[in-house]
Amino acid sequence: MSSDLRRGAMFAVAAAAAMAVAATCVKGASATVPAAMVVFCRSAFGLLMLLPWLLREGRSAFVTRRFGGHLWRSGFGLVSMVGYFYSISHLPLAEAVLLTYTMPLFAPFIGWFWLGERPPASALPAALIGLVGIGLIVKPGSAGLASTAAIIGAFSGITAAAAMIGIRRISDTEPASRIVFYFMLLATMVTALPAHCAWQAPTLPAWGWLVGVAAFATLGQLLLTLAYGAAPAASIGPFTYTSVIFAGALGWAIWGEAPDVWSIAGIVLVIGSCLLTLIPRRGPPASARPIDA
């Protein structure tokens, strides 16, 4: 398979920017819209945007014999998305985005437990360094909602890792479009009742935020797919962390957010530890891409 790192890097950085804008839209919507509505609209609008593409592929785009696998992947993915959105609404944007991007730290160990894939030698030191970084962001012992949101954000990284392993478990027979379709479908169905119970008429700006969440998250997933199709995952992975830079810039420009020195140190440690997991190993390299936003 041919490889074009420059093309892949361009797509990866563009995807990271789109994901950061999607996270910004989540934060904007969460200011006036209940969380259940934000999650539902992200799933439902994303599903509507995906359907025309799938319908062109015909019946084969929807038929599966691995529905149980889709349930596992979607369950972990939905829990991760809810935790991610919650942390976005209560933390500085860059910190919330970064906590979900800790997924590569946990994926090797979940894959070892679930798929029997022995993690590389770099996995344990990377995880230990990453946990120190997460600790600096979470600030154990500090009281208040922000600390709780940081813990929930870190948990979203763990469940995102489980969702990624779920994808790998079924990707031998299930194409990416079908996996995304069932995730969007099941997430829409599960969140429909909570969204109905919490429903309140969004303002016009809130509708703009909600549509933006789905549009930019879907665009980000498309660009990321193109990036990983253009170059190896181990080469593309580092570029996806530019999303934290974009998110930090947007958070500062819109809400005046500025992380303290401990959070900055934590961010550096987490990104460094995640990049450590991308050290070449025997066999296929692990992907560092996030599951959803």
Side-chain angles (χ1 to χ4, degrees), residues 28-168:
S30 298
T32 58
V33 176
M37 286 179 57
V38 178
V39 176
F40 170 76
C41 289
R42 188 292 177 235
S43 303
F45 292 163
L47 181 62
L48 290 175
M49 293 173 185
L50 186 64
L51 275 177
W53 175 35
L54 292 175
L55 289 173
R56 285 198 297 269
E57 296 185 16
R59 185 171 177 269
S60 62
F62 306 96
V63 176
T64 181
R65 295 182 179 178
R66 309 285 294 276
F67 188 70
H70 285 289
L71 281 176
W72 278 104
R73 176 269 183 269
S74 299
F76 284 121
L78 180 58
V79 171
S80 176
M81 182 166 64
V82 171
Y84 178 47
F85 284 12
Y86 180 86
S87 65
I88 285 175
S89 65
H90 294 99
L91 291 175
L93 198 60
E95 293 181 19
V97 170
L98 178 74
L99 288 169
T100 292
Y101 272 70
T102 58
M103 178 266 292
L105 300 179
F106 308 111
F109 302 101
I110 296 174
W112 190 11
F113 174 77
W114 197 353
L115 303 181
E117 298 177 343
R118 190 174 184 85
S122 61
L124 183 57
L128 293 175
I129 295 170
L131 288 174
V132 173
I134 292 172
L136 292 175
I137 297 171
V138 173
K139 300 175 182 66
S142 62
L145 193 59
S147 180
T148 301
I151 293 171
I152 292 174
F155 183 70
S156 77
I158 297 174
T159 49
M164 189 200 78
I165 299 303
I167 290 174
R168 290 183 60 187

Side-chain angles (χ1 to χ4, degrees), residues 264-276:
I264 292 174
I267 288 171
V268 171
L269 284 176
V270 169
I271 292 179
S273 62
C274 288
L275 296 181
L276 183 59

Side-chain angles (χ1 to χ4, degrees), residues 201-257:
T203 62
L204 187 58
W207 275 121
W209 289 121
L210 291 170
V211 173
V213 173
F216 283 101
T218 302
L219 174 62
Q221 289 295 320
L222 174 61
L223 289 169
L224 204 58
T225 300
L226 293 173
Y228 279 91
S235 301
I236 291 301
F239 293 99
T240 65
Y241 290 97
T242 57
S243 186
V244 179
I245 299 173
F246 290 124
L250 288 167
W252 175 78
I254 299 173
W255 293 286
E257 296 174 345

